[in-house]
Amino acid sequence: MTAALLYPFILVAGALQAIGNAMNAQLRGRMVNPWLAATVSFLPIVFVFTTLFFTMPTPLPSLDSLSKMPWYAPLGGLAGAVAVFGGLAFIDKVGAGPFNGLTLTANILTSLAMDALGLFGLQAAGFKPMPWLGGLLMAVGVIFIARSGGRSDGGEGHGEGHGMSGKLLYPFILVAGALMAIGVVWNAQLRGALENPWLAATVSFVPVVFVFALMFLLRPSPLPTRDDIAGVRWWMPLAGITGAVAVFAGLLFVDKVGAGAFNGLLITANLLTSVALDHFGWFGMKQVKAGPPRLIGAAVMVAGIVLISLF
């Protein structure tokens, strides 16, 4: 019963994750430079989690727990940040539905592979046909959603947006989704080693800000104009924080509700919110009506998620 009480929070985290991708796309448009946009997106996260850690500094990790921490555990945030950067750079080209559908499918298939093979310290569960059938259904659902991504509200194509140029980005988006799943596992191991969830979240995101800030210093152009800065809405720099809610939820709740139930709830909320973002054109997204192909694709993906979560 205690685990079930966490479900609403996980659903909200999944919805915020999808909204964060759309917000990041708008931030990227105003900041012009993608590295600057990514730095601006992640800086508030580090500030918030650092403040919370200084407010609640206990418990602290022991030397024994630190010595057992895998070398890659602090890089979980950086792995997951690849998907955030993909949202900054590409979501306006492929649409929120296809982008999130591809990343989530790659995410869940990678999660199934890690569970089956026991990668990154997970206990090997072996091959289970029903979850993999669910993964196949998710891939089919993505095809339905992505194939409908080239029609806007007025029925006219946008070559620079959802057309063939966007489809060429699909391999990168799939890799980003796979890294997102790996990042969740790494973050869970970081949380176990550092004990304090606020410290773990801070350590997870600090390398992200460092890398993006370094890339911006190496490639500082183009820079936004005064008009670009004037067009920044108050909510745009908060995009990273909305996505960080899902990361923090994973740090806290995966061991309480189970990885299958957690990812199933998170992905379901993310997917349905993504389709809604495209359908209504929220947060500046190009409006793509959720016609029969998209609705069928969403239903098939939800069915796949159910199989993965239950079996």
Side-chain angles (χ1 to χ4, degrees):
M1 180 60 68
T2 302
L5 294 177
L6 301 174
Y7 287 0
F9 180 86
I10 299 171
L11 289 170
V12 170
L16 288 175
Q17 191 177 52
I19 292 171
N21 284 335
M23 292 167 64
N24 270 325
Q26 300 305 309
L27 179 66
R28 162 69 172 85
R30 293 300 179 180
M31 292 288 99
V32 183
N33 188 309
W35 307 113
L36 174 61
T39 304
V40 171
S41 181
F42 278 97
L43 268 176
I45 304 175
V46 174
F47 173 78
V48 168
F49 283 130
T50 301
T51 301
L52 288 169
F53 169 62
F54 282 119
T55 304
M56 294 174 280
T58 56
L60 288 174
S62 64
L63 292 176
D64 183 59
S65 64
L66 289 176
S67 66
K68 295 178 180 178
M69 180 176 67
W71 65 268
Y72 51 77
L75 303 179
L78 194 59
V82 176
V84 176
F85 185 77
L88 279 164
F90 304 139
I91 196 170
D92 58 334
K93 296 179 174 61
V94 302
F99 178 86
N100 287 296
L102 288 165
T103 54
L104 296 177
T105 298
N107 184 325
I108 202 68
L109 292 178
T110 303
S111 298
L112 290 173
M114 288 191 294
D115 281 339
L117 300 175
L119 302 178
F120 300 114
L122 295 175
Q123 185 175 359
F127 176 78
K128 296 180 180 179
M130 295 305 289
W132 282 98
L133 176 59
L136 177 61
L137 288 176
M138 290 190 69
V140 172
V142 167
I143 293 174
F144 276 98
I145 294 174
R147 284 176 64 88
S148 64
R151 291 187 294 277
S152 66
D153 185 39
E156 297 177 359
H158 296 267
E160 78 280 10
H162 295 213
M164 181 59 68
S165 60
K167 293 180 180 179
L168 295 178
L169 301 172
Y170 285 3
F172 176 87
I173 297 171
L174 289 170
V175 171
L179 288 175
M180 186 189 303
I182 293 171
V184 170
V185 177
W186 292 1
N187 276 328
Q189 293 177 328
L190 178 67
R191 164 72 173 84
L194 297 186
E195 299 185 19
N196 188 308
W198 310 114
L199 176 60
T202 302
V203 172
S204 179
F205 283 109
V206 164
V208 180
V209 174
F210 173 79
V211 169
F212 284 137
L214 178 61
M215 291 301 299
F216 170 61
L217 292 176
L218 294 176
R219 305 189 65 177
S221 60
L223 287 174
T225 64
R226 286 187 177 181
D227 290 338
D228 292 325
I229 298 297
V232 175
R233 303 287 183 86
W234 65 268
W235 45 264
M236 291 180 183
L238 303 180
I241 291 180
T242 60
V245 175
V247 175
F248 189 70
L251 283 168
L252 290 180
F253 302 144
V254 167
D255 57 340
K256 294 181 174 63
V257 303
F262 178 85
N263 285 320
L265 291 165
L266 193 75
I267 289 173
T268 299
N270 191 318
L271 169 69
L272 298 180
T273 304
S274 301
V275 174
L277 287 171
D278 276 349
H279 180 76
F280 295 106
W282 290 334
F283 296 103
M285 295 301 298
K286 292 179 180 178
Q287 193 170 21
V288 181
K289 291 293 186 181
R294 284 196 162 213
L295 295 176
I296 292 172
V300 171
M301 289 192 72
V302 170
I305 292 166
V306 170
L307 288 177
I308 292 169
S309 300
L310 294 181
F311 297 97

